[in-house]
Amino acid sequence: MRDKYPGWYPKSAIEASALWDNAVFVPDANVLLHCLRHPADVREELFRLFDALKESLWIPYQVGLEFHRNRLDVELGAQDAYDVLIKDQEATIEKARERLRQLRAHPTISVPKELAALDMFSADFRARMETSRAAHPTEDIAAAVTRLTQLLDGRIGDKWKPEQLAALKKEGDDRYAKKIPPGYKDAKKDNGEFDKYGDLIIWKDMIGKAKADKRPIIFISDDAKEDWWWIHKGRKLGPRPELIEEFRAGSDQDFHIYEFGQFLRFAAERFPEIKAGVDQVEKSLQDDVRARRRQSEAAEADQTQAKARELEDEKDQIIGLLSGAPGAAVPIATTVDRAALRARLSELNAELELITSSAEHTASSSGKPADSGALEDRDT
């Protein structure tokens, strides 16, 4: 039975380990970017790992392309962080200053003393940021790019021809409409004509590489989306079963996928030279994952707030029309369909209630208190 449904049997640790003896290791662009994002000691450990895997490393052209498209965001984002943090911190401190200035006579709080303390903290924070800016490892990061370039020299797949991309686009649209993995979670990407097909291009190239070399593929990625992973009740069991079966059908080889942190732990058992630094690297990776999650949650919260404001504005307009408020006058000869307006008002109330409920759930699950201002601007 297992032979008929190979994708539906998660690999044991022993089975996964056996693949390492002959596998081609394919790091995704997000994994390569870790070599630029982390502190020097972590970068060095990552290169130690890649050096150990060097003879079996390979990347599709698309991975290298995505690395180069995103590396300047990583490099310049790190350089911009000093000014961004100083600006954000100063805005927060200024709010505290204004609250103190508005404080009426108080039996214990000395406003001048607390204002001076805030000024001292602000000056100290700015000084630390300037010290960090002066020590920014621009040359070391440039050297890391050079090391990656040399490491992957001769280990990169071919660029797709225009006619291949055109054929893939047609196939990709059909696959995405049917939610056939991988890549359909990127269906809404609109950065370029073929950007949303990036994962599918990588997938096709990995199948081609496995078939040509007659070797299994181990894919290393921080992409946690469901179009790569078999996820059951929040637990990742391995690659999607459909991926295992398609890969075997197309290459007669096996396929496995690791998150980078998980991969590090397995690699440490095989390569003693990296074992000592694994804990440090994994901690840095976990910290980065938590920061990325917070960024994502903050962006989603901003989108939710914007959507809620749009709905509230439309709701106010409808209420104005129904009540005949002067500010809501409709153009002459326009007939107001009151039944349709009431129906739309009910829809808006339901949508706003859903948004509020979702915001409260998110706040509760993240350990933050959910209050009535969950959908208000952060500055209020």
Side-chain angles (χ1 to χ4, degrees):
M1 186 171 182
R2 186 165 185 161
D3 291 340
K4 297 291 186 181
Y5 306 96
W8 293 94
Y9 290 83
K11 291 180 179 63
S12 67
I14 294 175
E15 290 171 331
S17 179
L19 291 179
W20 287 57
D21 295 333
N22 190 41
V24 175
F25 295 90
V26 181
D28 203 358
N30 48 41
V31 171
L32 297 178
L33 288 167
H34 282 308
C35 293
L36 312 183
R37 183 177 281 118
H38 293 270
D41 47 357
V42 174
R43 287 201 307 273
E44 193 57 40
E45 291 299 330
L46 292 176
F47 277 115
R48 200 188 306 275
L49 168 63
F50 288 138
D51 284 339
L53 296 171
K54 182 175 181 179
E55 296 307 315
S56 296
L57 273 181
W58 179 83
I59 61 170
Y61 179 88
Q62 181 70 22
V63 168
L65 179 63
E66 291 179 8
F67 168 79
H68 284 95
R69 283 176 173 172
N70 291 299
R71 76 176 180 87
L72 287 181
D73 287 339
V74 173
E75 293 180 45
L76 298 180
Q79 294 177 22
D80 293 342
Y82 309 111
D83 287 331
V84 170
L85 288 172
I86 289 172
K87 181 180 178 181
D88 288 350
Q89 184 266 350
E90 185 55 38
T92 301
I93 292 295
E94 184 54 36
K95 289 180 185 177
R97 289 193 188 102
E98 189 56 31
R99 288 290 181 91
L100 282 168
R101 295 186 190 108
Q102 295 173 15
L103 187 66
R104 299 182 65 180
H106 193 280
T108 60
I109 297 176
S110 168
V111 171
K113 181 178 178 180
E114 297 306 328
L115 286 173
L118 288 176
D119 290 342
M120 184 179 297
F121 177 84
S122 182
D124 184 54
F125 182 82
R126 179 182 288 273
R128 291 199 305 275
M129 289 299 100
E130 294 301 341
T131 298
S132 296
R133 191 203 305 270
H136 191 82
T138 303
E139 294 182 1
D140 290 347
I141 293 174
V145 173
T146 299
R147 287 181 69 177
L148 275 176
T149 301
Q150 294 170 344
L151 183 72
L152 294 168
D153 189 33
R155 304 178 185 282
I156 302 174
D158 294 331
K159 182 179 180 180
W160 282 43
K161 296 181 175 64
E163 57 268 25
Q164 291 177 296
L165 290 171
L168 180 89
K169 182 177 180 181
K170 183 177 180 181
E171 179 187 354
D173 288 341
D174 182 62
R175 290 176 67 114
Y176 290 5
K178 297 175 182 176
K179 293 193 178 330
I180 298 175
Y184 66 80
K185 293 295 288 184
D186 293 333
K188 294 183 179 180
K189 278 188 176 179
D190 58 0
N191 297 334
E193 184 180 5
F194 299 106
D195 279 4
K196 66 181 179 181
Y197 307 109
D199 281 359
L200 185 56
I201 292 171
I202 292 169
W203 176 242
K204 294 286 189 179
D205 275 350
M206 288 193 294
I207 292 176
K209 179 68 172 176
K211 183 177 181 179
D213 289 9
K214 295 181 172 56
R215 297 170 65 184
I217 294 287
I218 290 178
F219 186 43
I220 313 153
S221 177
D222 282 339
D223 191 334
K225 296 193 296 294
E226 67 178 40
D227 56 351
W228 281 107
W229 290 95
W230 178 10
I231 303 174
H232 182 70
K233 294 183 177 180
R235 182 181 178 186
K236 291 178 182 173
L237 302 179
R240 287 278 296 259
E242 305 96 314
L243 296 180
I244 296 289
E245 294 176 2
E246 182 181 351
F247 201 91
R248 286 194 176 186
S251 68
D252 199 30
Q253 296 294 324
D254 210 344
F255 172 76
H256 196 53
I257 184 172
Y258 288 99
E259 289 180 299
F260 196 24
Q262 182 189 30
F263 180 79
L264 281 168
R265 292 191 293 275
F266 277 92
E269 298 301 319
R270 285 184 162 258
F271 306 108
E273 61 268 35
I274 72 168
K275 192 167 187 176
V278 163
D279 289 344
Q280 181 183 20
V281 174
E282 192 168 9
K283 181 182 183 304
S284 190
L285 291 174
Q286 289 171 349
D287 289 344
D288 187 59
V289 167
R290 283 190 286 269
R292 189 170 67 227
R293 186 181 300 123
R294 291 190 186 100
Q295 284 184 347
S296 178
E297 290 172 353
E300 289 177 5
D302 287 343
Q303 292 175 359
T304 299
Q305 290 164 12
K307 178 65 174 177
R309 285 193 293 269
E310 290 178 7
L311 296 176
E312 289 285 6
D313 288 344
E314 185 181 354
K315 178 180 174 180
D316 290 342
Q317 291 173 8
I318 291 176
I319 291 174
L321 289 170
L322 290 172
S323 65
V330 296
I332 297 174
T334 299
T335 301
V336 176
D337 186 340
R338 301 180 72 82
L341 289 177
R342 290 193 184 97
R344 178 55 182 159
L345 187 60
S346 295
E347 292 175 358
L348 290 171
N349 285 331
E351 288 186 64
L352 285 166
E353 183 177 351
L354 182 62
I355 289 175
T356 301
S357 175
S358 177
E360 289 174 348
H361 174 74
T362 300
S364 175
S365 63
S366 64
K368 298 176 183 178
D371 53 43
S372 60
L375 297 179
E376 299 297 326
D377 290 334
R378 294 176 185 171
D379 292 346
T380 59

